[in-house]
């Protein structure tokens, strides 16, 4: 479990094919310093398991499904990534509940720099659009953010916007995002549960008629 509060920006230093997946080596001194085999680390919002580490790097395997679904599938050596270690029991929940299970990807449509912050507009897959609400929470590349605007329900190409404060711009990879970049999206788990419950209720009510 994660909070979406990024601890450092890491860099992919090696990618090796492993079956139909990858083994990544990520340079992230803070995370690697006390990393242990089997623990979870979120890499730009993707929960990965540590399989080896040095003083400043860790290795993790990425399965094919993750490569197909998440933006990490287009990563290269040198790609910068957001790093967050799993939340310890008893810690403050500074962001929101993030599982590290990417729902899909979006594409940066617009970057509007302001005097002190920047606004990103990101495309939203149609199946995720009902789960994103104005002032709700969303994880973008593993970063916990508040939705500042969202497209209308009848918008043919759904989108949402997030406003990035200077700290977020400096402490995460979102500060260097440009139009056309793919980003990992994870919607609020509570919204996903509500959608599932409503789907079952609709089926039950339809069958009782």
């Amino acid at each position: 479990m994660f909070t979406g509060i990024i601890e450092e920006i890491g860099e992919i230093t090696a990618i090796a094919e492993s079956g139909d997946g990858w083994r990544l080596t990520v340079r992230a001194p803070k995370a690697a310093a006390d990393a242990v085999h089997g623990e979870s680390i979120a890499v730009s919002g993707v929960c990965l398991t540590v399989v080896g580490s040095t003083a400043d790097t860790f290795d993790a395997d990425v399965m094919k499904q993750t490569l197909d679904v998440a933006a990490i599938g287009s990563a290269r050596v040198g790609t910068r990534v957001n790093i967050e270690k799993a939340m310890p029991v008893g810690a403050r929940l500074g962001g929101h509940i993030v599982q590290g299970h990417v729902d899909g990807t979006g594409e940066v449509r617009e970057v509007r720099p302001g005097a002190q912050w920047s606004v990103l507009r990101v495309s939203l897959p149609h199946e995720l659009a009902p789960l994103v609400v104005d002032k709700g929470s969303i994880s973008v590349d593993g970063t916990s953010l508040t939705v500042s605007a969202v497209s209308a329900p009848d918008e043919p190409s759904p989108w949402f916007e997030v406003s990035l404060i200077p700290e977020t711009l400096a402490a995460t990879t979102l500060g260097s995002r440009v139009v056309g970049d793919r980003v990992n999206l994870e919607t609020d788990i509570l919204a996903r549960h509500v959608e599932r419950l409503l789907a079952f209720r609709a089926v039950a009510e339809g069958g009782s008629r």
Side-chain angles (χ1 to χ4, degrees), residues 28 35 39 43 45 65 79 104 137 146 166 185 192:
E39 77 168 289
V43 178
Q65 180 188 23
T79 295
S137 296
T146 300
L185 304 177
R192 298 201 302 272

Side-chain angles (χ1 to χ4, degrees), residues 12 15 22 24 26 43-44 46 48 62-63 66-76 81 105 141 182 184:
I12 296 175
I15 299 175
W22 288 353
L24 296 182
V26 181
V43 178
S44 286
V46 179
L48 299 179
V62 188
M63 67 179 66
T66 302
L67 295 174
D68 291 341
V69 171
I72 200 169
S74 58
R76 299 291 182 266
V81 289
T105 62
D141 276 350
R182 286 179 69 211
N184 292 322

Side-chain angles (χ1 to χ4, degrees), residues 148-159:
S148 56
V150 68
S151 57
D154 59 352
E155 171 68 47
S157 300
W159 53 265

Side-chain angles (χ1 to χ4, degrees), residues 40-173:
S40 297
I41 297 179
V43 178
S44 286
V46 179
C47 178
L48 299 179
T49 301
V50 174
V51 296
S53 63
T54 68
D56 63 354
T57 69
F58 66 88
D59 297 331
D61 292 328
V62 188
M63 67 179 66
K64 183 179 184 302
Q65 180 188 23
T66 302
L67 295 174
D68 291 341
V69 171
I72 200 169
S74 58
R76 299 291 182 266
V77 171
T79 295
R80 298 165 74 236
V81 289
N82 293 324
I83 300 295
E84 182 190 358
K85 300 191 76 173
M87 179 178 63
V89 174
R92 289 187 177 91
L93 183 60
H96 72 283
I97 296 174
V98 177
Q99 294 181 294
H101 302 160
V102 173
D103 293 318
T105 62
E107 182 177 302
V108 177
R109 287 189 183 175
E110 184 181 354
V111 179
R112 300 199 306 273
Q116 293 183 324
W117 57 80
S118 183
V119 176
L120 293 187
R121 177 172 289 195
V122 182
S123 67
L124 194 58
H126 284 274
E127 65 273 16
L128 300 185
L131 305 177
V132 180
V133 298
D134 187 27
K135 305 302 185 292
S137 296
I138 192 167
S139 169
V140 180
D141 276 350
T143 306
S144 174
L145 298 169
T146 300
V147 177
S148 56
V150 68
S151 57
D154 59 352
E155 171 68 47
S157 300
W159 53 265
F160 70 93
E161 291 184 350
V162 288
S163 298
L164 309 179
I165 61 174
E167 173 63 19
T168 304
L169 293 171
T172 77
T173 60

